[in-house]
Amino acid sequence: MHGAIRKIILGAAIVGIPVLSLAQIAPTTPATRPAQQQQVPVKEVVLFTSGVGFFEHYGTVQGNATTELSFKTAQINDILKSLLLEDRDGGKVSVVTYASQEPLERTLRSFEVDLNNNPPLAQILNQLRGSSVTASVAGGAPITGHVLGVEQKQKPAGENKVIEVWILNLLLNSGSIRPVELNTISEIRLDDPKLQQELVKALAAVAASRDQDKKPVTLRFNGEGERRVRIGYVVEAPVWKASYRLVISSDAKALDPAEKKDAAAAAGAAAAKADGGKLQGWAIVENQTDNDWEDVELSLVSGRPMSFVEDLYQPLYVARPIVQPQLFASPRPQTYAAGIQQQQQLMQQAGEQSRASPANAPAASLARRAGARGGAGGGGFGGGAALGAVARESELLDPMSSVAAMASGAPVGELFQYTVGNVSLPRQKSAMIPILTDGVKVRRVSIYNASVLATNPLLGARLTNTTGKLLPQGPITVLDANVYAGDAKIDDLPAGQDRLLSYGIDQQVLVHSNDQTNDSRIVTGKIVKGVLEVTTKQEFSQKYVAQNKGKTDRTLLIEHPRRPGWTLADPAKAAESTDTLYRFEQPLAAGKTQDFTVKEELTSMQGIAILPMDGGSIDYYLKTGAIPQNVKDAMAKAAQFKYAVVDTQRQIESHQQQINEFNQDQTRIRENMKTVAQNTDYYQKLLKKLDDQETAIEKLQMETKQLMQKKDQQQKELEDYLANLDVG
């Protein structure tokens, strides 16, 4: 639209629209006393790793009381779904009121001027058709008239140019129609006060919709005297996260090669001498609520209860069909959604977790944890260690000596929780809270996987969770002798289980893994009811050559791909296996080179019917040394039967070929006889030759018939022989 309307004078001030709560609408009785506004602070917070939090307020109220909580608009659905209220000393919970949320589009459509989708001025004026307006035109007198409509027209703008302009058509009191360009109008006044007020209300609704980020919820408690009240609810909350620091001390050494007997002995000996490690865990939490946390009991739960959002806050309207008069009614076409059958997969978690409380502890225990405040003592870890060697002091930083765990941990049903007492955290702030400082079992390993890094293993460790607590997933900063060594990450680690960690590249060890062989051969065969069952074995061999150029011994853990259907031949078993790989542990002495070979086998069986086999195939299996001699003898006898059938078939084909040659020659003779007289010597010669050939054909046909009978007999003898042939 060319030009700009600088102002629209509405002729009325924006007025406030009162909002009545349910308590104001309810009838008043003489016994009703006004409720006093009182605060009930939050005292307990339970955060889950599924993205929700349980919040509990408790305090005291006096007489008839109300308390107001503020929530984000997006949280109201959770509040309406999960709000729990208790007036513990004889009082009663009354009405819960909150600001309703009528859809803005529906509200705006209720006014005479629809402001949905931010309509331009031309569309607004088109909605005012028939209304009286006064337009102030630049350089002219005001024009008063009724709006006929707004249209777009072309207007000359220089030589061979036109522009599009918007025209307001007004019906004047004189009866004439006055077109006015919108870009020449400086002001438009609505002459109808009712229409002015409608437009003001519509604009007020638009303005109010911008302030919907926070909604108050008012709770009412009715009763006598001072009473204890509790308020609980579940709302969306940031996922609490875990972060760890793992110190690997000098006690966590690799095995001495002299101690190495086999993989099982190595693992046991290493576990016995690998107690030198300490794990420090921090919980990262955010208070994204609109309430300050003052001395709350904070519980951090590792578990994922099912949670969802249902739209209970938005007013919903049922679409009603428009019913036509009976004369015009007709059936409506029907559509049907396709049916889907779903299969549920049961997920099983490996490992066991010790439980200090009943397995079926009620969910209410998440709200009350008697005696769960306080924390386990941290204790120091001596040795004068540090994150780095930037030294202003003679001793380096010891990250473990001054941090004590503030949380106590215990199972709750199928979940695990850390509880921290007396936590204060202002709204919209975050915090790191130490939740454990415990000694753990750590054993150094160098982890080699050719698909990760072809030439070097990774520096790693096998961490055993000896803390008695569930360790939630999170990153681990690894300190080797209190010097930063790298970063690692773990998934959820229940008590008593172990996990591998890798945090750097072991540049002291080189691994060569390109030597591979793959062989396939027949290992045996047998005949079952005329079918040769051949057993074939495929063998795959992978050789790893590792060289330790360092000055310390290593325990090399080789991750070898596990292929479906193949079995491990050498070594007989792995130190451990997963669905996709084997893990083998091998000692690797300082300055030494050692090779390790993994052999796998795949045994398959193939059934081959002997009856349709050709002679070449039979000869191939007769020459295969792995097939037992009695099986070969049986196959050789079957071959004799088969060769006899083949020989007879060859004779039949030879007879048929001779008959075909005679037939072709007879056709030639008969054609020649048509060209000569019957009383000539040549004609008589041809006739005699034709007679001799007929005699020969009859003889061949008789012999062919006999040969076919012979072949059928030979074929039957072969089939009878194979039908009951079982040789192994």
Side-chain angles (χ1 to χ4, degrees), residues 519-525 532-537 606 608 610 613-628 631-632 635-636 639 643:
D519 180 48
S520 178
R521 69 182 190 278
I522 296 175
V523 293
T524 188
L532 175 63
E533 295 183 353
V534 179
T535 300
T536 303
K537 179 179 290 185
Q606 181 183 12
I608 308 169
I610 299 177
M613 289 176 64
D614 56 35
S617 298
I618 294 177
D619 290 340
Y620 169 77
Y621 289 109
L622 288 176
K623 295 176 182 178
T624 302
I627 295 180
V631 176
K632 292 182 180 180
M635 288 188 64
Y643 292 152

Side-chain angles (χ1 to χ4, degrees), residues 31 112 114 130 166 192 390 469 474 549 610 625:
E112 291 189 31
D114 187 356
W166 289 92
D192 184 354
V390 181
K469 308 176 183 69
K549 296 186 176 182
I610 299 177

Side-chain angles (χ1 to χ4, degrees), residues 203-350:
L203 289 173
V206 173
S209 68
R210 294 197 300 268
D211 192 23
Q212 291 186 351
D213 186 53
K214 295 183 180 180
K215 294 292 182 181
V217 176
T218 302
L219 315 174
R220 184 182 179 98
F221 301 93
N222 292 338
E224 301 290 340
E226 187 176 72
R227 305 181 313 285
R228 295 168 298 164
V229 297
R230 293 171 64 181
I231 306 165
Y233 49 84
V234 175
V235 295
E236 183 180 36
V239 175
W240 75 274
K241 300 171 284 289
S243 175
Y244 303 94
R245 290 88 177 110
L246 174 63
V247 173
I248 304 177
S249 70
S250 57
D251 294 334
K253 295 180 179 179
L255 281 178
D256 189 322
E259 300 174 356
K260 171 68 178 174
K261 299 296 183 182
D262 52 39
K273 64 183 297 183
D275 295 326
K278 192 153 188 177
L279 186 67
Q280 182 184 98
W282 293 77
I284 301 172
V285 298
E286 291 94 2
N287 179 7
Q288 296 297 318
T289 69
D290 292 327
N291 300 299
D292 294 331
W293 298 350
E294 295 289 345
D295 294 329
V296 304
E297 182 180 280
L298 175 63
S299 295
L300 307 173
V301 180
S302 181
R304 297 185 179 183
M306 292 180 62
S307 183
F308 59 88
V309 176
E310 184 169 343
D311 195 352
L312 301 175
Y313 185 37
Q314 186 89 354
L316 303 177
Y317 297 87
V318 177
R320 297 183 298 163
I322 299 176
V323 179
Q324 300 289 344
Q326 185 66 31
L327 181 62
F328 302 103
S330 60
R332 294 176 178 267
Q334 301 296 309
T335 58
Y336 301 90
I340 299 177
Q341 295 181 348
Q342 297 181 346
Q343 296 181 347
Q344 297 180 345
Q345 296 182 346
L346 301 178
M347 304 300 294
Q348 298 180 347
Q349 180 178 1

Side-chain angles (χ1 to χ4, degrees), residues 531-609:
V531 176
L532 175 63
E533 295 183 353
V534 179
T535 300
T536 303
K537 179 179 290 185
Q538 290 181 264
E539 293 183 349
F540 174 80
S541 177
Q542 169 73 64
K543 185 177 181 180
Y544 298 92
V545 180
Q547 182 181 16
N548 183 359
K549 296 186 176 182
K551 297 181 179 180
T552 59
D553 296 343
R554 296 283 203 273
T555 295
L556 181 63
L557 191 148
I558 299 173
E559 291 190 332
H560 179 80
R562 184 174 182 177
R563 297 186 291 179
W566 291 70
T567 58
L568 190 61
D570 186 26
K573 61 180 180 179
E576 64 180 8
S577 302
T578 71
D579 290 340
T580 58
L581 54 84
Y582 297 107
R583 291 193 178 115
F584 305 97
E585 287 193 13
Q586 290 294 312
L588 188 58
K592 300 295 183 179
T593 300
Q594 184 173 337
D595 61 87
F596 177 75
T597 302
V598 179
K599 293 182 179 180
E600 296 173 271
E601 295 179 349
L602 176 63
T603 302
S604 60
M605 181 178 295
Q606 181 183 12
I608 308 169

Side-chain angles (χ1 to χ4, degrees), residues 244 246 474-478 484 486-490 500-504:
Y244 303 94
L246 174 63
I476 299 178
T477 295
V478 179
Y484 174 73
D487 292 332
K489 186 174 177 62
I490 59 168
L500 287 172
L501 309 176
S502 60
Y503 51 86

